[in-house]
Amino acid sequence: MEEQKANVRAVERALDILLCFTDSTDLGLSEIAGRLSLHKSTVHRLLATLENKGFLIRDAQTEKYRLGFRLWELSVNLAHSDDPATLWLPEMERLRDVVGETISLYVRDGNERIRIQAVQSNQAIRRVAPIGARMPLSVGASSKVLVAYAEPAVREEVLSDPLWPESIDRDAYLEQLEQIRRQGFATSVEERELGAAAVAAPIFNRNEKLVAALAVSGPSNRLTLERMMEIAEPIMESAYRMGKMLK
């Protein structure tokens, strides 16, 4: 039993190491050990195993690690018709051409949202949306959509998070969520980032269950509140079509 627990712990730690690369391209032994609060000797053994299996590559000169090609091999199997991020890409590109701004797709992961797909604007000045980026659920149009249309128990869990910013008035936020449910979309202006604005709509599957948030983002001097109101309808129409694509 103890051996089994040790094996599970080793797997969890190996996965934690891989997750360190969600916001970094290359990391050294000390950096990884510091992030995970583990002894260097433990991390070194796990790194050697991950490198041997092709999940990590070690640079001999810098002695830093980066993600290996084995992960690319695994990711190929994500690109099939049942993967929403791939299935919805043509519709996202079509919407980008209609509104002229960056299109992003977000899902809730615990008390965060994560961008799982993005189509960059063709404008010279644009919002760059890296896939895999994680953001808090407390601010942003997509966050408000994911909270507004979540199950009541999930919504309460998110709002009860000890890390929820004290600067956000709970009653005012709940009132805002109610308005979002009435109008079918959410907007944000410089809530998370100065100079940026966004408008988002929910995507539901055939069972009317929230699946993701579809967002359009751009510079706030171009994506004004008036402009967001103009493009809200085509965004909601795209979100509706995307939901109908799901089995």
Side-chain angles (χ1 to χ4, degrees):
M1 190 68 176
E2 289 300 322
E3 182 179 353
Q4 184 179 7
K5 288 182 179 179
N7 290 336
V8 171
R9 188 162 57 248
V11 172
E12 290 178 342
R13 288 173 172 175
L15 292 173
D16 285 339
I17 288 175
L18 293 177
L19 290 173
C20 286
F21 292 87
T22 55
D23 59 358
S24 301
T25 55
D26 54 1
L27 293 167
L29 171 61
S30 297
E31 293 172 288
I32 297 172
R35 288 191 180 196
L36 301 181
S37 299
L38 294 174
H39 292 295
K40 289 184 180 180
S41 58
T42 300
V43 174
H44 185 269
R45 289 195 299 270
L46 293 168
L47 287 171
T49 300
L50 290 169
E51 182 183 7
N52 184 53
K53 292 293 184 179
F55 289 97
L56 291 177
I57 296 174
R58 178 176 172 273
D59 188 305
Q61 293 185 329
T62 65
E63 295 189 349
K64 290 196 172 186
Y65 295 83
R66 65 179 186 275
L67 294 176
F69 296 114
R70 185 55 58 88
L71 289 170
W72 288 101
E73 294 176 34
L74 290 175
S75 69
V76 170
N77 291 322
L78 285 174
H80 54 71
S81 60
D82 292 329
D83 172 34
T86 302
L87 180 68
W88 290 335
L89 191 56
E91 179 62 27
M92 294 175 68
E93 292 173 339
R94 189 200 68 79
L95 181 61
R96 183 270 314 275
D97 295 338
V98 170
V99 302
E101 301 292 353
T102 294
I103 313 298
S104 297
L105 193 63
Y106 294 93
V107 296
R108 184 182 68 85
D109 184 20
N111 289 343
E112 294 180 307
R113 61 179 161 114
I114 180 170
R115 185 183 291 118
I116 63 170
Q117 186 62 280
V119 177
Q120 308 297 340
S121 167
N122 292 323
Q123 304 262 18
I125 299 175
R126 61 192 177 194
R127 286 278 291 113
V128 177
I131 296 174
R134 287 178 175 271
M135 283 147 275
L137 284 177
S138 54
V139 291
S142 296
S143 292
K144 288 183 283 190
V145 162
L146 292 172
V147 177
Y149 291 96
E151 296 289 334
V154 173
R155 190 159 56 245
E156 182 59 33
E157 178 186 343
V158 171
L159 295 173
S160 300
D161 185 351
L163 298 179
W164 190 264
E166 294 182 2
S167 58
I168 298 178
D169 182 82
R170 180 187 172 93
D171 292 335
Y173 189 83
L174 287 171
E175 185 177 337
Q176 191 175 15
L177 297 184
E178 182 60 34
Q179 180 183 354
I180 291 167
R181 287 192 291 271
R182 287 196 302 268
Q183 66 187 14
F185 64 92
T187 62
S188 65
V189 179
E190 298 186 338
E191 288 187 5
R192 191 182 63 84
E193 182 181 343
L194 288 176
V199 53
I203 300 174
F204 300 100
N205 62 18
R206 294 178 184 269
N207 297 321
E208 295 301 314
K209 182 178 180 181
L210 178 66
V211 177
L214 176 65
V216 173
S217 60
S220 56
N221 62 349
R222 190 168 66 222
L223 197 57
T224 61
L225 187 58
E226 181 181 7
R227 176 58 178 161
M228 287 192 281
M229 293 301 159
E230 292 175 353
I231 64 176
E233 191 64 32
I235 295 171
M236 289 189 288
E237 290 174 355
S238 284
Y240 176 80
R241 284 192 291 269
M242 291 162 75
K244 292 301 180 184
M245 294 179 193
L246 297 176
K247 294 181 179 179

